[in-house]
Amino acid sequence: MVQEFDVYAALFLHEQIPGWNDLLRDRTEGGVRVRVLIGDPDCEAVRVRGEEESFGHGIQSRCHLAAMHYRPLTATPGIAVRVHSTTFYNSLYRADDHMYANTHLYGVNAYGNPLLRLKRRAPGGIFDAYAASMDAVWRTARPLEE
């Protein structure tokens, strides 16, 4: 059974999975800890990424939408949602020792980038490097306000 679930980015989950928030709430009732990191739509890093990907204000709009979708979860025990203003190098989706890492190539929208499927095999490997990266961003982020 999954004990920890981390999402770094992830607006598409609301777009693709009906009832995504309800699913997260249900999982926390079973003891799963959920952490969600979304970009600050007003930060310089998001603005620059929009320019680099020729997506303009689209990235900012997607960050606003992500905040709108995740905001109802901010008062849910077991779910923490934070906003960061760091440069965005990858999207991460982790459940315990399994992770998907959507690496970001310069100038390419997320959907056009490689997706790596990782499993923690031993301490100190690439899985732990990606997990540490998310933890570092988590420490810089602020809680999403209700």
Side-chain angles (χ1 to χ4, degrees):
M1 180 179 147
V2 173
Q3 297 298 310
E4 297 178 311
F5 184 72
D6 290 336
V7 176
Y8 184 9
L11 174 59
F12 81 94
L13 294 168
H14 284 100
E15 296 169 337
Q16 299 294 318
I17 302 172
W20 176 244
N21 281 2
D22 293 333
L23 177 68
L24 292 177
R25 282 188 195 99
D26 289 347
R27 294 303 185 261
T28 61
E29 289 174 6
V32 175
R33 180 200 56 123
V34 175
R35 296 188 309 170
V36 177
L37 266 171
I38 58 176
D40 179 347
D42 300 319
C43 78
E44 181 70 6
V46 167
R47 187 193 62 72
V48 168
R49 181 173 167 218
E51 289 177 7
E52 291 172 349
E53 294 181 10
S54 300
F55 204 56
H57 295 291
I59 300 293
Q60 291 166 304
S61 295
R62 291 187 66 75
C63 290
H64 278 294
L65 280 171
M68 179 189 77
H69 285 298
Y70 283 108
R71 189 167 280 114
L73 296 174
T74 58
T76 304
I79 298 178
V81 183
R82 291 191 182 179
V83 179
H84 71 93
S85 58
T86 64
T87 301
F88 195 59
Y89 297 107
N90 45 251
S91 304
L92 299 175
Y93 314 95
R94 184 180 73 84
D96 295 335
D97 290 337
H98 298 271
M99 180 187 300
Y100 288 99
N102 177 214
T103 62
H104 290 223
L105 302 171
Y106 181 82
V108 180
N109 296 114
Y111 64 83
N113 285 302
L115 180 67
L116 307 175
R117 183 176 178 205
L118 306 173
K119 181 169 179 16
R120 180 182 283 134
R121 300 254 185 236
I126 191 168
F127 181 101
D128 286 341
Y130 276 111
S133 174
M134 180 174 174
D135 289 342
V137 174
W138 185 261
R139 287 189 299 274
T140 71
R142 70 181 192 287
L144 176 65
E145 297 175 4
E146 286 185 56

